[in-house]
């Protein structure tokens, strides 16, 4: 009777849908035994605990135990290793014709398949959101990077529970799940250990996370590194430590421990190193190796031609592909001075070393899987770029990527002295724009340009020796990162869920690619016939072998200084290409086929409406200045009474573009005190209030170029003190980066004052955090102190009071309109 009542109750609770979904569950082993396993085989997750199958009597001695079965995937399910490289163009690696040696990727390609028409979204966060959910990026809130969130469904960076990560599906089907490396998909106002943690990896289906939250980070001193949700700083006291190696070490340990403790349970690992996104931070060993190869000495045009020839030889581009003309807005190598060539060669050698170093570290992971005997039954999906090569380094390159997002360009003369330390912890470096075009060979344009294949096409390799037998094969079907999640589930035999945790699921936009695995289907038509693209107003639509796309109105390297048209919908010219005849988009047919172009434009608009692409925006200004939800929203007064670190910038009080007052109430012990009181940022931009040699000091780091400083002449004596830094912004001027006057006071007495003609306009170093009582990451001024520089006195209270911001939606709108007029 007990069993029947329980079954009836469960049926009433979960309803007909759940009952029918559960009917197909598969159990192995004897039900009730500790060794019994059950594959849910259900579109509704999680499945309920099955009825008790034992026997309960008044006394244990007369009763029979029974265990609920362990949830497991189908028998023989593979491990899954999903690798995603950052900011790497189609022609960047040797597997797809590049000049940089990537032997790990080459070997995997020889053991599996190369895909030549894989596509991303042209930008970091959007690609990752699409990849991990199987839905189009706007449909899950990621029409822009996490730092560019605005309050529209396609752009708010809030991925709802109706679009669960594939990791959640796998975990509910018995997989162990882990994520190593970059996570650029936490809403920035939630990027704090204080939570909420809903959109952190542990809230999206991952049992374990070791990596950084944000768009990029220093590989030498990452200030935004977490183990699960705990900030960690493993570089402190370990000179030469590098995150690229640390990620591989951690993944190797995870896999090895898992194999030892639970070898029958398969795992899913998302491995996403920071490479090769700026800053390019390889070890000196790899810089020396690559520099000695002289891969780039003949300049970007010749390198591009060499890559193109390699691609033709390898068969990874069609035989009828043409190399597009070198853009007339880029300098030719022979026109450069000796100093320019010296600088630009150093930049690309360091980047290439970073890629080769990353390939080696991934190789160590693959080697571990082989040694454990798990390689044959591991599905490895290696996506060679989340977007095209980045052209965000300015035409000369940059030693400090933070400068790009604040509209600041460095001159060649400023950078020449940095050549010996390029790629070390003294730079946050990126290369000159023409290298991005060369590494995207044979396609036009770069990252951010979703309208052209140089922004969206990436190489991909799949291996699974137990299943994929066409070793070294090439596949040319048109596919997109949204197709990966359905492919993983199809390969394992897990049905796509319709409901998870009581929430009806949005259907996948992706389709399975499993049909391409068999050699007999090598030339099968693609099952993806239509795909839209859009980033920053650059847009395209692919349909049945044709692509209609807009012509970029501004270049990626212009950044916040760009002058795009205000009317994004109607202010762009369109091109039309037959990709079968013209795979590199060199022959525009828009004028010859206006009807087809109009039909394609209409199809793009249908897809845009279906996926929350509207409203369109093509300017970085409104997204970098938008007010967002979170703990800092609407607040003008902040108080901190205990030491704390690792608060991300969007959760901290922002002193940009406003007047403000910072007050530190402290107690100095006998013998004096030193150390950090409060800081945000670090070596590449930021500010800090601290005691140096006992003297109250406020330092403002303007992009590692200038460091205005306010300092008392006298050290503080023992006792309680109030230190105040008061900044009064000028009443008139530009809304962004307006100057003003700063005053440092100690116990009510002015001890220093100076005025600045300008301040930092848009964003601090994002990989550094807001800290009280010590400093993490890097120092705001290395000459004054080194991290962690913990305060040796006592902090009673740190208070920050914010004045009204000079930045408003109206002011930004006016700046956009003025910029568009200058364009005309």
């Amino acid at each position: 009777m007990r069993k029947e009542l329980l079954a009836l109750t469960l049926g009433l609770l979960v309803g007909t849908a759940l009952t029918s979904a559960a009917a197909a569950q598969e159990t192995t082993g004897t039900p009730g035994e500790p060794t019994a396993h059950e594959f849910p085989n259900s579109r509704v997750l999680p499945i309920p605990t099955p009825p008790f199958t034992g026997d309960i009597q008044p006394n244990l001695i007369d009763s029979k135990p029974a265990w609920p079965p362990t949830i497991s995937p189908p028998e023989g399910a593979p491990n899954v290793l999903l690798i995603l490289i950052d900011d790497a163009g189609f022609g960047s690696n040797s597997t797809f014709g590049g000049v940089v040696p990537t032997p790990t990727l080459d070997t995997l390609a020889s053991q599996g398949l190369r895909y030549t028409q894989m596509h991303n979204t042209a930008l970091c966060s959007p690609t990752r959101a699409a990849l991990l959910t199987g839905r189009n990026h706007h449909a899950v809130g990621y029409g822009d990077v996490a730092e560019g969130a605005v309050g529209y469904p396609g752009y708010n960076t809030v991925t709802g529970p109706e679009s669960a990560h594939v990791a959640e599906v796998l975990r509910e089907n018995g997989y162990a799940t882990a994520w190593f490396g970059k996570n650029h998909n936490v809403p920035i106002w939630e990027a704090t250990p204080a939570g909420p943690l809903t959109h952190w990896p542990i809230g999206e289906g991952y049992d374990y996370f070791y990596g950084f939250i944000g768009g990029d980070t220093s590989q030498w001193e990452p200030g935004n590194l977490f183990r699960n949700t705990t900030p960690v700083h493993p570089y402190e006291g370990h000179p030469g430590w590098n995150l690229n190696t640390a990620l591989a070490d951690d993944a190797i340990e995870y896999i090895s421990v898992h194999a030892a403790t639970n070898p029958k349970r398969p795992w899913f690992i998302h491995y996403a190193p920071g490479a090769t996104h700026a800053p390019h931070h390889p070890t000196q060993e790899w810089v020396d190796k690559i520099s000695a190869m002289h891969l780039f000495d003949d300049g970007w045009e010749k390198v591009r031609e060499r890559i193109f020839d390699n691609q033709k030889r390898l068969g990874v581009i069609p035989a009828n592909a043409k190399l597009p003309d070198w853009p007339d807005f880029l300098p030719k190598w022979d026109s450069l001075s000796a100093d320019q060539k010296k600088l630009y060669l150093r930049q690309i050698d360091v980047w290439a070393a970073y890629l080769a170093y990353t390939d080696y570290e991934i190789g160590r992971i693959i080697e571990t899987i082989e040694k454990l005997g798990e390689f044959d039954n591991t599905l490895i999906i290696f996506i060679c770029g989340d977007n095209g090569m980045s052209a965000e380094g300015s035409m000369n390159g940059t030693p400090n990527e933070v400068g790009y997002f604040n509209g600041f360009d460095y001159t060649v003369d400023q950078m020449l002295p940095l050549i010996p330390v390029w790629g070390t912890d003294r730079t946050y470096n990126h290369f000159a724009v023409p290298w991005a075009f060369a590494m995207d060979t044979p396609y036009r344009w770069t990252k951010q340009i979703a309208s052209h294949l140089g922004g969206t096409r990436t190489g991909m390799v799949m291996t699974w020796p137990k299943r994929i037998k066409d070793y070294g094969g090439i596949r040319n079907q048109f596919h997109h990162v949204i197709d990966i999640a359905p492919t993983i589930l199809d390969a394992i035999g897990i049905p796509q869920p319709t409901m998870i945790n009581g929430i009806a699921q949005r259907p996948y936009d992706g389709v399975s690619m499993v049909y391409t695995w068999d050699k007999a289907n090598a030339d099968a038509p693609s099952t993806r016939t239509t795909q839209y693209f859009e980033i920053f107003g650059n847009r395209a639509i692919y349909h049945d072998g044709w692509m209609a796309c807009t012509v970029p109105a501004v270049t990626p390297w212009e950044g916040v200084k760009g002058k795009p048209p205000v009317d994004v919908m109607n202010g762009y010219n369109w091109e039309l290409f037959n990709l079968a005849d013209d795979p590199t988009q060199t022959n525009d047919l828009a004028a010859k086929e206006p009807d087809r172009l109009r039909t394609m434009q209409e199809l793009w608009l249908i897809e845009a409406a279906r996926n929350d692409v509207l409203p369109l925006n093509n300017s970085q200004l409104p997204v970098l200045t938008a007010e967002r939800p979170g703990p800092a929203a609407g607040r003008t007064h902040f108080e901190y009474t205990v030491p704390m670190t690792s608060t991300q910038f969007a959760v901290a009080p922002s002193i940009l573009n406003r007047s403000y007052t910072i007050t530190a109430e402290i107690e100095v012990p006998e013998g004096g005190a030193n150390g950090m009181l409060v800081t945000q940022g670090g070596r590449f931009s930021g500010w800090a209030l601290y005691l140096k040699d006992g003297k109250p000091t406020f330092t403002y780091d303007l992009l590692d170029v200038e460091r205005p400083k306010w300092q008392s002449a006298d050290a503080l004596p023992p006792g309680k003190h109030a230190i105040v830094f008061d900044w009064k912004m000028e009443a008139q001027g530009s809304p962004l980066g307006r100057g003003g006057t700063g005053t440092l006071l100690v116990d009510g007495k002015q001890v220093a004052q100076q005025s600045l003609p300008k301040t930092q306009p848009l964003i601090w170093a994002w990989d550094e955090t807001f800290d009280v009582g010590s400093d993490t990451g890097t120092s705001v001024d290395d000459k004054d102190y080194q991290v962690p520089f913990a305060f040796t006195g006592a902090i009673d209270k740190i208070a920050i009071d914010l004045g009204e911001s000079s930045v408003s939606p109206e002011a930004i709108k006016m700046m956009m309109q003025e910029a568009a007029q200058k364009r005309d």
Side-chain angles (χ1 to χ4, degrees), residues 534-539 550 553 564-574 604 614-619 816:
E534 191 280 334
I535 293 291
F536 289 137
N538 297 304
R539 52 204 186 273
T550 57
V566 173
D567 186 355
V568 190
M569 180 63 75
N570 302 303
Y572 283 65
N573 295 320
W574 283 74
W604 182 89
L614 303 179
L616 295 176
N617 169 59
N618 57 9
S619 172
M816 293 170 63

Side-chain angles (χ1 to χ4, degrees), residues 434-701:
W435 288 125
F437 280 77
M439 295 302 105
D440 277 331
T441 301
Y443 301 112
R444 295 168 57 198
W445 288 100
T446 64
K447 175 183 178 180
Q448 292 191 19
I449 307 300
S451 53
H452 287 73
L453 296 175
T456 61
R457 183 161 288 181
T458 182
M460 182 180 74
V461 168
M462 280 194 192
T463 66
W464 183 11
K466 184 178 178 180
R467 173 64 177 83
I468 298 174
K469 301 298 184 180
D470 186 15
Y471 302 144
I474 293 176
R475 298 295 184 265
N476 300 309
Q477 289 88 354
F478 188 103
H479 278 285
H480 189 276
V481 292
I482 56 175
D483 299 327
I484 296 301
T487 299
I488 292 171
L489 297 186
D490 188 17
I492 299 168
I494 295 174
Q496 295 181 18
T498 56
M499 184 174 292
I500 297 179
N501 294 322
I503 304 294
Q505 294 296 290
R506 176 189 171 100
Y508 283 166
D509 294 311
V511 297
S512 173
M513 300 173 64
V514 168
Y515 75 97
T516 66
W517 288 355
D518 292 334
K519 190 171 184 177
N521 293 330
D523 298 319
S526 175
T527 56
R528 171 154 300 289
T529 58
T530 304
Q531 181 60 44
Y532 85 92
F533 299 86
E534 191 280 334
I535 293 291
F536 289 137
N538 297 304
R539 52 204 186 273
I541 184 76
Y542 168 85
H543 182 67
D544 286 343
W546 287 76
M547 181 170 276
C549 54
T550 57
V551 178
V554 292
T555 63
W557 53 94
E558 291 177 272
V560 296
K561 297 182 296 183
K563 302 177 180 63
V566 173
D567 186 355
V568 190
M569 180 63 75
N570 302 303
Y572 283 65
N573 295 320
W574 283 74
E575 298 173 323
L576 179 67
F577 301 101
N578 180 343
L579 295 184
D581 297 339
D582 178 24
T584 55
Q585 297 175 296
T586 61
N587 182 25
D588 178 15
L589 300 175
K592 292 183 179 180
E593 299 212 34
D595 292 341
R596 185 187 295 271
L597 175 60
R598 190 175 305 109
T599 299
M600 297 280 279
Q601 290 170 323
E602 291 171 354
L603 181 57
W604 182 89
L605 193 57
I606 291 170
E607 290 296 294
R610 187 175 70 86
N611 288 281
D612 288 329
V613 179
L614 303 179
L616 295 176
N617 169 59
N618 57 9
S619 172
Q620 291 188 14
L621 287 176
V623 299
L624 287 174
T625 57
E627 186 173 0
R628 302 179 177 94
R635 290 175 63 186
T636 59
H637 180 75
F638 297 76
E639 282 191 12
Y640 307 92
T641 58
V642 295
M644 54 177 282
T645 65
S646 305
T647 298
Q648 301 279 21
F649 72 92
V651 185
S654 175
I655 66 171
L656 296 170
N657 303 307
R658 56 172 27 111
S659 298
Y660 58 88
T661 302
I662 303 171
T663 302
E665 298 179 10
I666 64 171
E667 185 169 359
V668 175
E670 293 295 332
N674 282 301
M676 184 58 60
L677 300 176
V678 59
T679 181
Q680 184 173 357
R683 182 174 297 133
F684 301 103
S685 73
W687 58 268
L689 178 64
Y690 51 94
L691 265 59
K692 172 178 164 46
D693 300 327
K695 301 174 183 179
T697 305
F698 185 87
T699 297
Y700 198 142
D701 176 4

Side-chain angles (χ1 to χ4, degrees), residues 16 46 134 150 157 214 245 283 317 351 355 406 471 481 543 562 586 622 705 818:
T16 304
V150 291
T157 71
T245 295
T283 62
I317 59 175
W351 168 82
L355 177 59
N406 284 282
Y471 302 144
V481 292
H543 182 67
T586 61
V705 175
E818 291 173 352

Side-chain angles (χ1 to χ4, degrees), residues 73-79 175 264 266 377 464 466 492:
E75 188 74 22
N79 300 315
Y175 268 76
K264 292 184 178 180
N377 199 30
W464 183 11
K466 184 178 178 180
I492 299 168

Side-chain angles (χ1 to χ4, degrees), residues 66-101:
W67 295 93
T70 299
I71 299 297
S72 298
E75 188 74 22
N79 300 315
V80 181
L81 176 59
L82 175 58
I83 302 169
L84 180 62
I85 300 297
D86 204 345
D87 279 14
F90 186 88
S92 61
N93 58 75
S94 57
T95 310
F96 289 89
V99 298
V100 182

Side-chain angles (χ1 to χ4, degrees), residues 738-822:
R738 192 181 299 179
T741 300
T743 304
L744 182 66
L745 302 100
V746 177
D747 297 330
K749 178 182 177 181
Q750 177 178 313
V751 297
Q753 185 179 71
Q754 65 171 309
S755 299
L756 301 179
K758 61 182 180 300
T759 55
Q760 195 145 318
L762 288 166
I763 192 169
W764 302 111
W766 45 82
D767 72 321
E768 303 266 6
T769 57
F770 176 84
D771 303 325
V772 175
S774 65
D775 193 4
T776 59
T778 63
S779 310
V780 169
D781 190 342
D782 288 302
K783 294 179 181 178
D784 278 4
Y785 70 93
Q786 294 298 309
V787 299
F789 200 45
F791 183 54
T792 58
I795 294 176
D796 293 330
K797 182 172 69 174
I798 302 290
I800 300 179
D801 292 285
L802 305 178
E804 185 175 352
S805 174
S806 59
V807 177
S808 65
E810 293 75 18
I812 294 301
K813 183 177 180 179
M814 185 175 296
M815 290 182 70
M816 293 170 63
Q817 292 170 337
E818 291 173 352
Q821 291 172 358
K822 292 178 182 178

Side-chain angles (χ1 to χ4, degrees), residues 136-445:
N136 284 314
H137 56 298
H138 293 89
V140 292
Y142 274 93
D144 198 348
V145 293
E147 296 83 358
V150 291
Y152 299 96
Y155 301 88
N156 60 21
T157 71
V158 178
T159 299
E162 66 278 359
S163 299
H165 278 223
V166 69
E168 182 68 31
V169 181
L170 294 173
R171 184 168 66 177
E172 293 294 348
N173 278 275
Y175 268 76
T177 56
W179 183 335
F180 299 87
K182 175 173 173 174
N183 182 327
H184 204 184
N185 294 100
V186 176
I188 57 175
W189 58 92
E190 296 180 5
T192 164
L197 304 174
T198 308
H199 297 102
W200 282 62
I202 64 166
E204 298 280 19
Y206 302 85
D207 299 324
Y208 179 75
F209 172 65
Y210 179 65
F212 60 94
I213 303 293
D216 61 46
T217 195
S218 168
Q219 301 296 296
W220 302 110
E221 298 158 313
N224 51 349
L225 184 65
F226 294 85
R227 190 179 303 280
N228 293 319
T229 60
T230 301
V232 291
H233 309 285
Y235 49 86
E236 291 183 356
H238 297 91
W241 182 95
N242 192 289
L243 180 57
N244 218 7
T245 295
L247 290 174
D249 286 345
D250 213 70
I252 288 168
E253 180 180 359
Y254 178 90
I255 293 168
S256 301
V257 169
H258 187 86
T261 57
N262 199 353
K264 292 184 178 180
R265 185 187 185 196
W267 45 256
F268 167 77
I269 289 176
H270 178 40
Y271 191 82
T276 56
H277 196 295
H280 307 145
H281 281 168
T283 62
Q284 188 61 45
E285 172 192 5
W286 283 99
V287 175
D288 292 342
K289 285 182 181 179
I290 293 297
S291 297
M293 298 174 72
H294 299 283
L295 299 173
F296 305 97
D297 286 7
D298 49 357
W300 33 62
E301 297 121 301
K302 293 293 185 182
V303 168
R304 181 171 174 258
E305 292 169 4
R306 198 157 74 246
I307 293 171
F308 185 74
D309 290 343
N310 291 342
Q311 291 168 335
K312 281 288 185 78
R313 175 177 52 81
L314 291 170
V316 295
I317 59 175
N320 64 340
K322 296 178 181 179
L323 183 63
D325 293 337
W326 185 250
D328 56 11
F329 49 77
L330 297 179
K332 294 184 177 180
W333 188 256
D334 289 344
S335 71
L336 304 178
S337 68
D339 280 346
Q340 287 176 307
K341 290 180 179 179
K342 180 180 179 181
L343 175 64
Y344 301 158
L345 284 173
R346 175 65 174 183
Q347 292 172 353
I348 194 65
D349 277 347
V350 168
W351 168 82
Y354 196 22
L355 177 59
Y357 171 33
T358 302
D359 181 82
Y360 169 79
E361 294 298 341
I362 293 173
R364 292 201 300 121
I365 299 172
I366 305 300
E367 183 180 0
T368 298
I369 296 171
E370 291 173 334
K371 287 180 178 178
L372 292 170
E374 297 186 359
F375 181 75
D376 282 354
N377 199 30
T378 297
L379 169 60
I380 299 175
I381 303 172
F382 196 134
I383 302 173
C384 304
D386 63 346
N387 41 245
M389 211 70 189
S390 169
E392 297 158 334
S394 89
M395 201 60 77
N396 291 325
T398 180
N400 183 359
E401 188 200 15
V402 185
Y404 166 78
F405 290 97
N406 284 282
F408 184 85
D409 293 332
Y410 296 79
T411 67
V412 171
D413 287 342
Q414 284 176 306
M415 290 185 277
L416 286 173
L418 297 173
I419 286 179
V421 295
W422 201 269
T424 72
D425 62 342
R426 298 292 138 175
T427 60
Y428 212 84
N429 51 304
H430 201 340
F431 53 52
V433 166
W435 288 125
F437 280 77
M439 295 302 105
D440 277 331
T441 301
Y443 301 112
R444 295 168 57 198
W445 288 100

